[in-house]
């Protein structure tokens, strides 16, 4: 009779592979149905994931903008040439013209000793004390702007300018920029740490949600085991549940960051108008979007996998 | 189909629920397990369903030793059995149809085949018109019949039932037992644990009576062996 039964059962089953895909599809739809049936729980979980992920996402975008702005600064690198005090204004202006003709030089600007002193008097607030000075202590200055921002070119231009006899000091105004870059580097690492921490938080959130889900379906799991379901079969809907949570949470976090971006870009446009500047905020690129959604989905899968591995095997019929 | 050789089951608590039970149920036979509460009826069925393992002795299902089964093999062996447990409810958030179709889905049947067989099983227990209802909206007897439909939908070789008529009225109990007898008549081996001595008496089937874990009565061999081909 056993043999008879096996023969009777064989034909109606589809082949292993399509049965496998069919169940994957069923689990996918089933887990989506569960989400649809319990909207409150799902919305809460997805919102928590979204908010959690929007933090590293927002920081990342912030950094990206700072980097873009600092890139603009880099292209405005200047070399200030302080000339010997003994250099006459006529000599200095001739020198400016020579320098303007040099390689890698974009523009030059001449600031005479008198102008420098005037500016200093106006800006420093030491007007009175400067008036007591018998002679002008400030040198003629030529401000040179290189035609490219590449560090090596700028440095070699600086060296060539320093070699000119009348030039006392050729000062590259990049120290503050280097400092900015160091700060950005620190910020980048902080974002990495924040991202790892928050990814871990999402893992825990999803793991816990799936754990509760498993507990709620305790009876069903036992029944399914008793009618011959394999562990993989039982696992599948829960894993897909995690995938949905991750995917939806990722989309929510993207929306949160985009809304934040929009709310900042309005005032920024007005600021640009007022200052005639053209700072532009950068938002997520398509690639960023894909990475965000893919990693949150993966986190969902990983979180549910951990929950399933820890809790599902413990459930056995008694 | 089922063989027990001196099976003893001692639970972790130290309680000995079965002592030296030996029996042989042939392919196509039907029998009742009776005995007082706590006699070990459920324990015996659980060993066959691979829910519990014997502490000593050997239990065989289709000549396969159940003492040392790997975890991976159990699901596939269980697909040959239909199990009806009184206290194992149905998943309440799935309609009746989905509940009954579950064993077929697990085994990867084609969707059209699933629909056909599920309706046939529901028809057999008289619940075809309830296929879209949620189990929670059904009466106790109807739920029990859904459970039976699910246990037989994949045409198992062996049907195990633990107190299937536990809280049903005598009329319904008789109907349910009749369903089991019908299945037995088409060749399914059936083993039913029940308290309902009056009903069992009426049905004239072999009995296995347990008392404090010991098999005190076994009249299996006084009935038709049920197996035309000679048994294992
Ligand atoms: N998991 C367990 N751990 C410890 N003892 C158990 C366990 N399961 C059952 N027992 C004990 O084993 C004995 C037999 O239990 P079993 O469920 O087999 O009885 P039964 O004949 O089915 O009784 P009933 O008719 O009341 O269902 C009982 O005394 C019970 O307390
Ligand atoms: Mg019992």
């Amino acid at each position: 009779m056993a043999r008879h039964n096996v023969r009777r059962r064989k034909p109606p089953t589809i082949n292993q592979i399509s049965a496998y895909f069919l169940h994957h599809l069923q689990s996918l739809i089933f887990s989506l149905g569960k989400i649809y049936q319990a909207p409150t729980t799902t919305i809460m979980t997805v919102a928590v994931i979204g908010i959690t992920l929007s933090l590293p996402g927002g920081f990342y975008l912030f950094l990206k903008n700072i980097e873009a702005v600092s890139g603009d600064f880099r292209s405005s690198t200047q070399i200030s040439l302080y000339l010997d005090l003994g250099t006459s204004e006529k000599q200095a202006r001739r020198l400016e013209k020579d320098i303007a003709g040099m390689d890698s030089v974009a523009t030059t600007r001449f600031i005479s000793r008198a102008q420098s002193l005037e500016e200093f008097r106006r800006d420093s607030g030491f007007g009175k004390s400067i008036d007591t000075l018998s002679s002008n202590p400030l040198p003629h200055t030529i401000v040179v702007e290189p035609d490219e921002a590449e560090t090596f070119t700028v440095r070699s231009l600086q060296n060539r300018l320093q070699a000119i006899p009348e030039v006392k000091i050729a000062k590259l105004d990049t120290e503050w920029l280097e400092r900015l870059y160091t700060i950005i580097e620190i910020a980048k690492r902080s974002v990495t740490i924040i991202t790892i921490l928050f990814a871990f938080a999402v893992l825990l959130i999803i793991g816990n949600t799936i754990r509760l889900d498993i507990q709620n379906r305790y009876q069903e799991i036992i029944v399914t085991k008793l009618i011959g379901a394999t562990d993989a079969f039982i696992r599948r809907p829960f894993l897909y549940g995690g995938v949905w949570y991750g995917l939806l949470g990722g989309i929510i976090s993207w929306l949160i960051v985009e809304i934040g971006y929009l709310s900042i870009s309005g005032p920024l446009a007005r600021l640009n108008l007022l200052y005639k500047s053209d700072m532009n905020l950068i938002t997520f690129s398509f690639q960023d979007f894909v990475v965000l959604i893919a990693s949150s989905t993966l986190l969902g899968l990983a979180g549910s996998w951990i929950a399933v591995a820890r809790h599902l095997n413990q459930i056995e019929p008694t | 189909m089922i063989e027990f050789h001196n099976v003893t089951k001692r639970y972790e608590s130290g309680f000995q629920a079965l002592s030296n039970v030996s029996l042989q149920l042939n392919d196509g036979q039907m029998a009742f397990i009776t005995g007082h509460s706590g006699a070990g009826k459920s324990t015996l069925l659980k060993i066959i369903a691979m829910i519990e393992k014997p502490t000593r002795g050997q239990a065989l299902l289709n000549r396969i030793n159940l003492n040392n089964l790997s975890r991976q093999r159990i699901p596939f062996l269980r697909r040959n059995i239909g199990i009806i447990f009184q206290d194992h409810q149905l998943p309440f958030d799935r309609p009746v149809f989905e509940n009954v179709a579950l064993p077929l889905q697990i085994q990867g049947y084609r969707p059209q085949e699933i629909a056909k067989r599920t309706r046939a099983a529901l028809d057999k227990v008289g619940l075809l018109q309830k296929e879209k209802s949620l189990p929670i909206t059904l009466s106790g007897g109807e739920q029990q019949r859904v459970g039976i439909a699910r246990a037989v939908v994949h045409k198992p070789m062996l049907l195990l039932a633990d107190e299937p008529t536990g809280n049903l009225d005598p009329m319904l109990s008789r109907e349910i037992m009749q369903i089991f007898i019908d299945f037995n008549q088409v060749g399914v081996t059936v083993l039913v644990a029940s308290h309902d001595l009056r009903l069992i008496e009426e049905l004239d089937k072999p009995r296995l009576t347990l008392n404090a874990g010991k098999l005190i009565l076994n009249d299996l061999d006084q009935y038709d062996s049920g197996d035309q081909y000679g048994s294992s």
Side-chain angles (χ1 to χ4, degrees):
Chain A
M1 196 201 133
R3 226 178 305 126
H4 183 64
N5 239 302
V6 167
R7 196 152 35 82
R8 209 172 27 166
R9 195 176 301 111
K10 207 100 202 187
T13 59
I14 35 183
N15 71 60
Q16 282 296 299
I17 293 165
S18 32
Y20 180 78
F21 283 115
L22 183 68
H23 185 248
H24 268 280
L25 193 67
Q26 282 165 346
S27 310
L28 192 91
I29 294 164
F30 178 78
S31 55
L32 197 61
K34 285 268 119 11
I35 281 174
Y36 181 74
Q37 280 165 18
T40 325
T41 327
T42 308
I43 289 169
M44 301 248 275
T45 308
V46 167
V48 171
I49 296 166
I51 292 166
T52 310
L53 285 178
S54 71
L55 267 138
F59 276 127
Y60 166 77
L61 209 53
F62 180 70
L63 250 187
K64 216 176 147 178
N65 277 288
I66 297 284
E67 270 192 304
V69 170
S70 68
D72 288 347
F73 281 136
R74 191 193 266 281
S75 66
S76 66
T77 302
Q78 293 179 342
I79 302 170
S80 299
L81 306 178
Y82 303 108
L83 305 184
D84 264 338
L85 279 176
T87 319
S88 73
E89 181 159 347
K90 214 167 132 200
Q91 281 174 310
R93 284 195 186 274
R94 205 179 322 120
L95 187 63
E96 187 206 349
K97 228 172 256 159
D98 290 347
I99 290 170
M102 284 170 71
D103 280 350
S104 329
V105 172
T107 62
T108 57
R109 188 158 51 93
F110 178 73
I111 305 164
S112 72
R113 298 178 63 178
Q115 271 174 300
S116 300
L117 189 67
E118 200 44 50
E119 268 175 37
F120 187 73
R121 192 200 304 281
R122 199 182 54 225
D123 298 341
S124 67
F126 291 124
K128 286 262 160 53
S129 25
I130 284 167
D131 287 341
T132 63
L133 292 172
S134 55
S135 67
N136 183 353
L138 298 174
H140 293 304
T141 310
I142 301 171
V143 179
V144 178
E145 201 174 302
D147 60 0
E148 55 178 307
E150 207 267 308
T151 316
F152 180 76
T153 320
V154 175
R155 291 272 181 211
S156 86
L157 178 63
Q158 184 196 12
N159 289 339
R160 275 186 289 142
L161 293 169
Q162 182 70 72
I164 297 167
E166 290 93 333
V167 175
K168 193 158 189 206
I169 303 165
K171 191 171 177 296
L172 192 57
D173 298 339
T174 53
E175 265 167 37
W176 68 276
L177 204 60
E178 315 250 285
R179 242 175 266 153
L180 180 65
Y181 278 117
T182 318
I183 291 169
I184 289 178
E185 191 53 39
I186 292 168
K188 264 187 184 168
R189 292 197 186 178
S190 315
V191 169
T192 308
I193 293 167
I194 288 172
T195 306
I196 291 169
L197 282 176
F198 280 66
F200 197 66
V202 168
L203 214 61
L204 293 179
I205 294 164
I206 292 178
N208 196 46
T209 309
I210 298 293
R211 182 182 64 84
L212 292 175
D213 208 19
I214 290 172
Q215 270 171 16
N216 287 338
R217 316 188 72 75
Y218 184 84
Q219 198 65 41
E220 185 179 335
I221 292 166
I222 285 180
V223 168
T224 331
K225 283 202 173 180
L226 277 179
I227 55 183
T230 55
D231 288 346
F233 184 96
I234 296 170
R235 208 183 288 142
R236 234 165 266 154
F238 294 104
L239 295 183
Y240 275 112
V243 166
W244 285 120
Y245 286 135
L247 180 68
L248 296 176
I251 292 172
I252 298 282
S253 75
W254 174 75
L255 281 176
I256 291 173
V257 177
E258 282 299 293
I259 288 167
Y261 162 79
L262 284 178
S263 68
I264 294 172
S265 65
L268 189 82
R270 251 176 287 140
L271 201 70
N272 278 342
L273 217 62
L274 287 174
Y275 286 88
K276 299 189 179 58
S277 64
D278 63 346
M279 277 192 284
N280 261 322
L281 277 189
I282 318 168
T283 181
F284 284 130
S285 65
F286 179 67
Q287 201 187 335
D288 291 334
F289 175 77
V290 170
V291 169
L292 175 70
I293 300 296
S295 30
S296 66
T297 307
L298 270 180
L299 280 176
L301 182 62
S304 55
W305 194 280
I306 292 167
V308 161
R310 287 203 45 192
H311 302 287
L312 211 50
N313 288 352
Q314 289 170 6
I315 300 178
E316 283 295 337
T318 52
Chain B
M1 171 76 51
I2 298 167
E3 280 177 67
F4 273 42
H5 299 294
N6 297 314
V7 169
T8 295
K9 174 66 192 178
R10 190 191 292 274
Y11 282 109
E12 264 142 55
S13 64
F15 187 87
Q16 187 152 322
L18 290 179
S19 311
N20 271 313
V21 173
S22 297
L23 60 91
Q24 176 170 338
L25 187 71
N26 293 331
D27 287 4
Q29 266 194 311
M30 176 167 180
F32 287 104
I33 308 172
T34 59
H36 63 90
S37 178
K41 304 182 290 296
S42 299
T43 305
L44 196 151
L45 290 178
K46 282 174 183 173
I47 287 175
I48 302 168
M50 292 158 269
I51 296 168
E52 297 288 351
K53 283 185 177 174
T55 316
R56 257 182 288 127
Q58 277 195 331
L60 294 99
L61 176 67
N62 275 334
R63 296 202 192 88
I64 295 162
N65 194 333
L66 303 181
N67 293 42
N68 37 27
L69 278 178
S70 74
R71 194 187 157 83
Q72 286 89 317
R73 280 192 74 192
I74 291 178
F76 298 97
L77 287 175
R78 279 193 184 138
R79 292 177 190 184
N80 299 317
I81 313 176
I83 304 172
I84 299 149
F85 280 138
Q86 192 197 336
D87 54 347
H88 278 135
Q89 307 127 1
L90 310 160
F92 280 124
D93 56 354
R94 291 178 194 240
V96 166
F97 182 92
E98 294 291 317
N99 258 290
V100 175
L102 208 52
L104 302 176
Q105 283 172 358
I106 286 171
Q107 295 182 38
Y109 278 69
R110 282 197 219 104
Q112 311 91 293
E113 194 67 25
I114 291 179
K116 204 178 94 192
R117 291 188 181 221
T118 303
R119 298 230 162 79
L122 281 172
D123 195 29
K124 180 84 186 109
V125 297
L127 284 177
L128 195 49
Q129 74 289 358
K130 298 268 185 183
E131 61 170 307
K132 293 197 175 69
S133 312
L134 288 175
I136 201 157
T137 65
L138 301 181
S139 74
E142 286 170 333
Q143 286 183 21
Q144 190 69 332
R145 283 187 281 157
V146 174
I148 293 172
R150 191 181 55 199
V152 300
V153 71
H154 57 298
K155 304 212 168 104
M157 303 185 280
L158 172 66
L159 204 53
L160 300 179
D162 194 0
E163 316 269 5
T165 60
N167 50 10
L168 304 180
D169 66 55
M171 255 263 285
L172 208 53
S173 300
R174 205 160 288 131
E175 264 176 49
I176 297 229
M177 288 302 186
Q178 192 54 51
I179 295 176
F180 291 140
I181 290 170
D182 291 349
F183 278 112
N184 179 241
Q185 260 151 20
V186 298
V188 180
T189 312
V190 181
L191 193 56
V192 181
S194 177
H195 274 126
D196 201 340
L197 287 177
R198 193 176 307 169
L199 186 56
I200 293 170
E201 225 113 276
E202 278 176 38
L203 295 173
D204 188 37
K205 290 284 175 190
R207 260 197 265 173
L208 300 162
T209 305
L210 287 166
N211 188 310
K214 291 193 178 66
L215 191 61
I216 54 165
L217 178 100
N218 175 357
D219 52 9
L220 273 170
D221 39 9
Q222 288 165 33
Y223 286 78
D224 173 26
S225 83
D227 188 339
Q228 304 94 301
Y229 314 106
S231 89
S232 44

